Amino acid sequence: MARTWSYVVAAVAALALVVAVAGELTEPAGQAESPAGQTAESAEKATDQAKKAADQAGQAAEQPGQAADQAVSPPATVPAGFPDAASTGVPPGTTLTDVAGDQVFARDGEVVEGKVFYGFVTVTARGVTFRKCVFRGGPTEETRPLVDSEHARDTVIEDSEFYPTHPSPSIDGIWAGHTKIYRSEFRGTVDGIKAHTGTLVQDSYIHDLSWFASDPDQGGESTHNDGVQAFAEQRGVTLRHNTIDVSTTEDPNAAVQSSADDLRVEDNYLDGGACVVNIDHTPLGRPLTGQRVTGNRFGRGSAYDCPILLSTRAELRAGSGNVWHDSGDPIPSPEQHD
């Protein structure tokens, strides 16, 4: 109980800082008025770290579906040199314009910059680029992502943020195919990224996903949270120099869950899940090939003290340079079972 009260005190202090700082900020010239009840995005980004500290240290209101007496985890510390809230997302001071309602981008080569989307975004064209955008979605009972580029080609997302206005068991961050994501932040969704063929995620930060006790997609059982999930019959998913930390998410599945061929997980900081990286051939019914997990640093927040799990027909083609972050010692050999 004493620890809980200390988190509440920390939360109140952090929120007081938010109010004080936000009060000193003015809305950038020309920025569209936010929807009722929404804080101006520029002020929100400038005070983002303080709000996150409040949320993680002493969140007083539970998320829908979570137990009222659920233990609150202290805020995670991102190791130096890895992406965090300060190095990802929309840079402070960026002028942002609100866009209401669902949007479809069907014009090849379109460049979209400085938008806050209060609706769901679908990309169907080739070569659409999003820069310095915030994806918030809206209320929904359908299973859908804040951004869907699964059926587009050569989508690029830079310096952007994914966090839902209305978290629910139905909302993921992005369903990505043939998409490159740089320096972006994901939080508050069920899965951060569902990755299909040709997805690259680099220098990005995935953390603090939303857990729910009941998820229709899991037969009414709890959500099955993954930082990144790569699917069977897909190939060429690359995760390079990211922070993927689900250790503060309630009962997460994995930082990286993959059944895709030719997966590359390189130079990341990874933590959380039953096993941190779970590579599973079983949805395929055949061997899973070309798996490379190299040069990563692992936290110790997995439920089974298990950095890497391979299924019995998953081939780890390369697995060198993976160490515990706190000691620098090599992690143990992967566990291997179905």
Side-chain angles (χ1 to χ4, degrees), residues 191-215:
D191 283 1
I193 298 171
K194 282 186 163 70
H196 297 76
T197 293
T199 297
L200 166 68
V201 185
Q202 182 169 313
D203 298 322
S204 294
Y205 184 28
I206 302 170
H207 63 109
D208 293 293
L209 304 176
S210 288
W211 178 90
F212 295 86
S214 179
D215 179 355

Side-chain angles (χ1 to χ4, degrees), residues 2 24 28 39 44 69 109 123 139 145 161 230 233 243 258 320:
E24 296 176 1
T39 305
E44 181 176 313
D69 60 352
V123 186
E161 299 177 34
E233 304 297 354
T243 297
S258 180
S320 64

Side-chain angles (χ1 to χ4, degrees), residues 41-107:
E41 291 292 338
S42 57
E44 181 176 313
K45 180 62 182 179
T47 61
D48 190 42
Q49 292 184 46
K51 286 194 283 186
K52 291 175 196 176
D55 290 341
Q56 296 171 5
Q59 187 174 355
E62 63 188 83
Q63 293 182 4
Q66 288 181 309
D69 60 352
Q70 178 179 312
V72 178
S73 300
T77 300
V78 176
F82 287 94
D84 61 8
S87 61
T88 59
V90 178
T94 300
T95 298
L96 296 169
T97 301
D98 295 336
V99 179
D102 295 351
Q103 305 293 318
V104 177
F105 291 87
R107 180 162 58 89

Side-chain angles (χ1 to χ4, degrees), residues 14-28:
L15 288 170
L17 176 60
V18 170
V19 173
V21 174
E24 296 176 1
L25 293 171
T26 59
E27 185 175 295

Side-chain angles (χ1 to χ4, degrees), residues 2-338:
R3 179 176 297 178
T4 300
W5 279 110
S6 69
Y7 291 158
V8 172
V9 171
V12 172
L15 288 170
L17 176 60
V18 170
V19 173
V21 174
E24 296 176 1
L25 293 171
T26 59
E27 185 175 295
Q31 180 171 323
E33 183 178 357
S34 298
Q38 298 296 334
T39 305
E41 291 292 338
S42 57
E44 181 176 313
K45 180 62 182 179
T47 61
D48 190 42
Q49 292 184 46
K51 286 194 283 186
K52 291 175 196 176
D55 290 341
Q56 296 171 5
Q59 187 174 355
E62 63 188 83
Q63 293 182 4
Q66 288 181 309
D69 60 352
Q70 178 179 312
V72 178
S73 300
T77 300
V78 176
F82 287 94
D84 61 8
S87 61
T88 59
V90 178
T94 300
T95 298
L96 296 169
T97 301
D98 295 336
V99 179
D102 295 351
Q103 305 293 318
V104 177
F105 291 87
R107 180 162 58 89
D108 289 354
E110 186 169 1
V111 177
V112 184
E113 185 165 353
K115 306 295 184 184
V116 184
F117 292 99
Y118 290 100
F120 296 92
V121 172
T122 302
V123 186
T124 60
R126 179 184 291 270
V128 176
T129 297
F130 297 90
R131 295 184 183 131
K132 302 176 184 177
C133 290
V134 183
F135 302 99
R136 304 299 309 272
T140 183
E141 294 183 0
E142 299 178 43
T143 300
R144 63 191 310 186
L146 300 175
V147 176
D148 187 347
S149 65
E150 180 182 355
H151 302 293
R153 301 283 295 194
D154 303 326
T155 307
V156 177
I157 299 173
E158 302 174 340
D159 303 299
S160 293
E161 299 177 34
F162 297 72
Y163 62 106
T165 307
H166 301 277
S168 83
S170 302
I171 298 178
D172 293 324
I174 184 172
W175 297 352
H178 300 284
T179 297
K180 296 179 178 178
I181 301 168
Y182 301 102
R183 299 177 304 280
S184 294
E185 182 183 10
F186 297 77
R187 67 184 188 272
T189 55
V190 173
D191 283 1
I193 298 171
K194 282 186 163 70
H196 297 76
T197 293
T199 297
L200 166 68
V201 185
Q202 182 169 313
D203 298 322
S204 294
Y205 184 28
I206 302 170
H207 63 109
D208 293 293
L209 304 176
S210 288
W211 178 90
F212 295 86
S214 179
D215 179 355
D217 284 347
Q218 301 297 328
E221 297 184 1
S222 62
T223 47
H224 200 253
N225 302 89
D226 298 305
V228 177
Q229 182 177 8
F231 286 95
E233 304 297 354
Q234 307 298 309
R235 65 188 321 110
V237 173
T238 300
L239 311 176
R240 181 179 298 129
H241 194 251
N242 304 287
T243 297
I244 307 175
D245 185 359
V246 297
S247 65
T248 59
T249 300
E250 172 73 9
D251 194 25
N253 179 61
V256 179
Q257 172 76 42
S258 180
S259 297
D261 291 298
D262 300 325
L263 172 74
R264 291 177 177 267
V265 183
E266 305 169 343
D267 304 320
N268 303 279
Y269 176 73
L270 307 169
D271 199 8
C275 292
V276 182
V277 176
N278 187 340
I279 297 175
D280 180 16
H281 82 281
T282 58
L284 290 165
R286 62 164 174 81
L288 182 57
T289 62
Q291 308 297 297
R292 295 172 171 86
V293 182
T294 59
N296 301 284
R297 303 186 76 87
F298 285 80
R300 296 186 184 266
S302 63
Y304 297 108
D305 195 26
C306 169
I308 302 174
L309 172 63
L310 301 176
S311 63
T312 53
R313 301 180 72 189
E315 171 206 14
L316 188 61
R317 180 170 295 180
S320 64
N322 297 304
V323 300
W324 293 116
H325 176 70
D326 58 1
S327 67
D329 294 332
I331 64 170
S333 297
E335 296 186 21
Q336 191 154 22
H337 55 80
D338 293 344

